[in-house]
Amino acid sequence: MTDITIYHNPGCGTSRNTLALIRNSGVEPTIILYLETPPTRDELRKLITEMGISVRDLLRKNTEPYETLGLASAQLDDEALLDAMLAHPVLINRPIVVTPLGTRLCRPSEAVLDILPDPQRGPFTKEDGEVVIDEKGQRVRA
């Protein structure tokens, strides 16, 4: 069985679609409800490094604490941004998926297909009606 972990928020459609795509490949991943069990500073740093993105790239900007905490300020360094994400996990953009093929912030949800080791087992349509996988299990490109 392939070892896959998703940092998941069940209240997020993108996260739900990503989880469904993982399951459509025949794998039941380890699900970390990161709002309830946030990653440690070291885990968060490791995920950011593995994704090859900046700390600021993982920062969720369209949520209330972002404006209130003044996180748009270019004067805030990575440590200050990490402090904010650890204090307010809702600021961590999601979903983050870790597979043997890599770690990725899966926005849009179909980005997970690039790091899933196992093929899709059937058709998949996102919650908004967008067809992502056809009846042959093949990715549909827009």
Side-chain angles (χ1 to χ4, degrees):
M1 173 74 46
T2 303
D3 187 25
I4 296 176
T5 300
I6 181 171
Y7 290 81
H8 179 58
N9 176 356
C12 169
T14 300
S15 198
R16 290 190 305 270
N17 283 322
T18 301
L19 177 57
L21 281 164
I22 294 168
R23 288 176 169 158
N24 198 45
S25 74
V27 175
E28 182 58 36
T30 299
I31 300 170
I32 298 174
L33 300 175
Y34 76 95
L35 293 176
E36 297 171 16
T37 310
T40 65
R41 179 179 294 271
D42 288 343
E43 289 169 335
L44 196 53
R45 256 199 212 106
K46 182 176 186 266
L47 291 168
I48 290 166
T49 299
E50 289 174 355
M51 288 185 283
I53 64 174
S54 71
V55 172
R56 193 167 289 279
D57 288 340
L58 188 60
L59 188 62
R60 194 159 169 250
K61 298 168 182 69
N62 63 345
T63 191
E64 169 50 36
Y66 181 82
E67 291 295 327
T68 304
L69 298 173
L71 298 176
S73 172
Q75 294 190 352
L76 294 174
D77 65 9
D78 287 351
E79 294 308 310
L81 298 177
L82 285 169
D83 287 342
M85 285 190 269
L86 293 168
H88 306 277
V90 71
L91 290 167
I92 301 171
N93 215 341
R94 78 284 180 214
I96 299 169
V97 178
V98 181
T99 80
L101 299 181
T103 302
R104 174 97 26 110
L105 174 61
C106 294
R107 299 193 73 76
S109 56
E110 55 269 26
V112 74
L113 296 170
D114 297 332
I115 60 169
L116 288 179
D118 302 306
Q120 295 291 289
R121 293 186 167 186
F124 181 80
T125 301
K126 289 170 43 171
E127 291 178 4
D128 67 1
E130 179 185 351
V131 176
V132 177
I133 304 296
D134 68 17
E135 62 283 343
K136 296 176 186 170
Q138 299 299 308
R139 188 172 184 172
V140 175
R141 305 274 182 179

